[in-house]
Amino acid sequence: MARPGRIGEFELIARYFAPLARGFRGAGNLQSDNAFLAADARRDLVVKTDTIVAGVHFLADDLPARIAAKALRVCLSDLAAGGSTPFVYQLSLALPSNWTEAWVAAFARGLAADQRRYGIVLCGGDTVVTPGPLTVTITAFGRVARRKGLGRAGARAGDELWVSGTIGDGALGLLVAQGGLRNLSARQRASLEDRYRLPRPRTTLGPELVGIATACADVSDGLLADAGHIASASSLAVTIERSEVPLSVAGRAAVAADPGLWPNVAGGGDDYELVMAVPRRKHAALEAAARRAGVKVTRIGRFVRGAGVELKAGAEIVLTARKGYVHF
Amino acid sequence: MARPGRIGEFELIARYFAPLARGFRGAGNLQSDNAFLAADARRDLVVKTDTIVAGVHFLADDLPARIAAKALRVCLSDLAAGGSTPFVYQLSLALPSNWTEAWVAAFARGLAADQRRYGIVLCGGDTVVTPGPLTVTITAFGRVARRKGLGRAGARAGDELWVSGTIGDGALGLLVAQGGLRNLSARQRASLEDRYRLPRPRTTLGPELVGIATACADVSDGLLADAGHIASASSLAVTIERSEVPLSVAGRAAVAADPGLWPNVAGGGDDYELVMAVPRRKHAALEAAARRAGVKVTRIGRFVRGAGVELKAGAEIVLTARKGYVHF
């Protein structure tokens, strides 16, 4: 996630790649993470591609099974945000020239474990050798009832902003992995680092949100950025009340000791929670859906006319998202 | 396409990845290049992923539009072999850290030109920065009538082996690019090198083969290897008569000057022609289909009971494919 002094990923996509997707409505002008294709008479396919590179998106010496899980789960998180149930995936594996069969065996065991956990099956792919770092690209397919898939566009003024689980653990876990947050207990540090290293995509909640949420995204770029993506795709503004943002025990301890960590909590990425717009009249349905999924959901803000995203503490604006948040 | 002293790509797939695809019939046990998914009430999706790496699959200083074309066309060739018509694709672009906006713009122009040429549209993807070489992964989707897609399995004893176009130009073009074949005319050398650098997938012929061919593959690993893949997936042997293998003018000149080039012609890759099994009673239909597609087809051999692949000159066996041909 280098930040070169050039145009960022979102501008790059808008300027050069969105025009290439104009002829296909299911691409949503590349403003959503997912593409939507017809699957059969009753269902659509939700399609998501993610690439992770050793030394950029994960540590090169990480366990092969954990790299496999990360590669698959970042896609599963987007499929969940689309309201879909995991189906099949394609795997492209670019192996460094010093690859070993033992490494591939452990990587495949990691995939097998996650296939069982999430109910998804490999359906094809490619394997090459690269002079560069290990690079894993997964294109994952989920299924959702025809035309019922959730995207970033669709929120309406007055809809409330909800999130699943707890926010900020991914970014705080990265600080722990880098040797920071030494004032926390060993157990708190371990729980944060684990959240950073191994996404837990909300695959049980996502499909339950169909017919309830008007828009949904996963928190991969950071709460403010991803809530902001929903707002901009829906031509709205969104305000978030900081005191409502759900934190883990470790996250609460971290910001209590150092309130200067709030930009990490609200602006950092890798939480892989779901953030969604929900009309007020759907509260009871949302809470029932969350109970069925076994996931906590919290109301943290609302969508209003306008543009932009604000984090507020009462009347005070404490943080705004940069326009066109860059994550590469 | 390094050949490490380890198990090859086919063994790697069979041992570690095919077991991961057991739960999904459309993956065909990963023995075909393509996966098949339901597309709608009447059609299937044919899905193919290919990764190309700078310095491995193309020269790092190649023109960006040509890299874009190569990445897309190697997938289109497989979609054609599946009998499908191009539909949409996902693009994952891992840019080296010194990427420039001008390079991306030219790459996108190359994609745009091929989108018009082949009737395919971008539907999503991912863009990352890598410390390694430029790496392009495309997952392409074609459409074919429900359960009519062509795979490698399906050939029957007695079926004849046909190929489109001319064979060997890709491998001979690689020799030219490396400074070889200096006895050929400048024009012959240029035509061979062009065939190597820029695949011409047989997208008009592929869909015409539905209901005619019993199995089909594209010639990407080499004629013997790809005919052999059809034979082994169909539990048959295949014999090819060398004098029937169609050569271009430049290809004929090359092997006339040096018959030692035959292993390159029949064993080298990157031709991106189609090789197919066709029952005798379908000859007229095949020839009509080839005329509609504007592509020449040639009968070069036949499938018989047994196993393996042989290139014959009359009664003499002149070349056999190595078992488990390695292309990485």
Side-chain angles (χ1 to χ4, degrees), chain A residues 6 9 15-16 20-21 35 38-39 45 49-51 90 92 97 99 101 105 115 121-123 126-127 139 141 328, chain B residues 6 9 15-16 20-21 35 38-39 45 49-51 90 92 97 99 101 105 115 121-123 126-127 139 141 328:
Chain A
R6 284 160 294 193
E9 183 182 16
R15 202 175 293 173
Y16 297 108
L20 298 176
L45 285 175
T49 296
D50 242 308
T51 295
Q90 297 252 313
S92 162
S97 50
W99 69 275
E101 193 175 340
Q115 290 195 183
V121 181
L122 180 67
C123 75
D126 196 9
T127 311
T139 297
F141 303 76
F328 85 173
Chain B
R6 283 161 295 192
E9 183 182 15
R15 202 174 295 172
Y16 297 107
L20 299 177
L45 284 175
T49 296
D50 241 308
T51 295
Q90 297 251 315
S92 162
S97 48
W99 68 275
E101 195 176 339
Q115 290 194 183
V121 182
L122 180 66
C123 74
D126 196 10
T127 312
T139 298
F141 303 75
F328 85 173

Side-chain angles (χ1 to χ4, degrees), chain B residues 39-324:
Chain B
D40 56 37
R42 296 174 300 109
R43 287 177 294 192
D44 285 335
L45 284 175
V46 179
V47 184
K48 169 64 186 180
T49 296
D50 241 308
T51 295
I52 61 173
V53 180
V56 181
H57 305 97
F58 60 92
L59 304 174
D61 62 353
D62 207 349
L63 294 172
R66 203 146 63 177
I67 297 168
K70 175 146 192 177
L72 190 54
R73 293 180 185 191
V74 293
C75 287
L76 292 176
S77 181
D78 280 304
L79 296 188
S84 70
T85 301
F87 177 35
V88 292
Y89 68 101
Q90 297 251 315
L91 167 70
S92 162
L93 193 56
L95 292 165
S97 48
N98 64 346
W99 68 275
T100 64
E101 195 176 339
W103 188 95
V104 173
F107 183 83
R109 280 195 300 274
L111 289 175
D114 264 18
Q115 290 194 183
R116 288 188 296 272
R117 184 173 289 118
Y118 295 107
I120 194 165
V121 182
L122 180 66
C123 74
D126 196 10
T127 312
V128 299
V129 171
T130 176
L134 172 71
T135 303
V136 187
T137 298
I138 284 184
T139 298
F141 303 75
R143 288 190 293 197
V144 64
R146 175 65 56 91
R147 282 184 283 274
K148 297 293 186 194
L150 302 172
R152 287 171 175 166
R156 285 166 293 205
D159 282 355
E160 293 178 332
L161 182 73
W162 292 70
V163 291
S164 64
T166 58
I167 293 297
D169 299 317
L172 296 174
L174 172 60
L175 292 180
V176 171
Q178 292 168 338
L181 305 188
R182 296 205 165 267
N183 56 320
L184 298 187
S185 72
R187 189 171 155 182
Q188 288 171 335
R189 289 165 49 89
S191 82
L192 291 173
E193 187 170 355
D194 181 65
R195 275 291 299 271
Y196 167 68
R197 291 197 183 268
L198 203 52
R200 266 77 172 182
R202 296 303 192 179
T203 52
T204 56
L205 179 61
E208 295 279 358
L209 298 177
V210 170
I212 294 173
T214 53
C216 188
D218 73 327
V219 182
S220 51
D221 294 339
L223 174 64
L224 262 63
D226 291 305
H229 294 326
I230 294 178
S232 66
S234 305
S235 302
L236 293 172
V238 64
T239 59
I240 301 173
E241 172 51 44
R242 189 175 69 181
S243 62
E244 303 295 338
V245 174
L247 303 182
S248 65
V249 172
R252 272 201 304 275
V255 297
D258 180 6
L261 289 171
W262 264 107
N264 300 68
V265 169
D270 292 323
D271 280 324
Y272 299 103
E273 296 293 350
L274 297 181
V275 56
M276 66 211 90
V278 178
R280 205 167 298 196
R281 63 191 162 76
K282 296 283 192 181
H283 281 190
L286 175 64
E287 279 166 351
R291 272 194 303 277
R292 283 193 300 273
V295 177
K296 188 185 71 164
V297 291
T298 308
R299 179 175 49 179
I300 61 168
R302 62 195 300 256
F303 291 89
V304 294
R305 297 194 192 287
V309 49
E310 295 173 348
L311 184 70
K312 289 184 158 186
E316 186 196 359
I317 297 168
V318 290
L319 209 60
T320 61
R322 278 166 296 174
K323 194 165 173 291

Side-chain angles (χ1 to χ4, degrees), chain A residues 274-299:
Chain A
L274 297 182
V275 56
M276 65 212 88
V278 178
R280 204 167 298 196
R281 64 190 162 76
K282 296 283 191 181
H283 281 190
L286 174 64
E287 279 166 351
R291 273 193 303 277
R292 283 194 299 275
V295 177
K296 189 185 70 165
V297 292
T298 307
R299 178 176 48 179

Side-chain angles (χ1 to χ4, degrees), chain A residues 120-137:
Chain A
I120 194 165
V121 181
L122 180 67
C123 75
D126 196 9
T127 311
V128 300
V129 171
T130 175
L134 172 71
T135 302
V136 186
T137 298

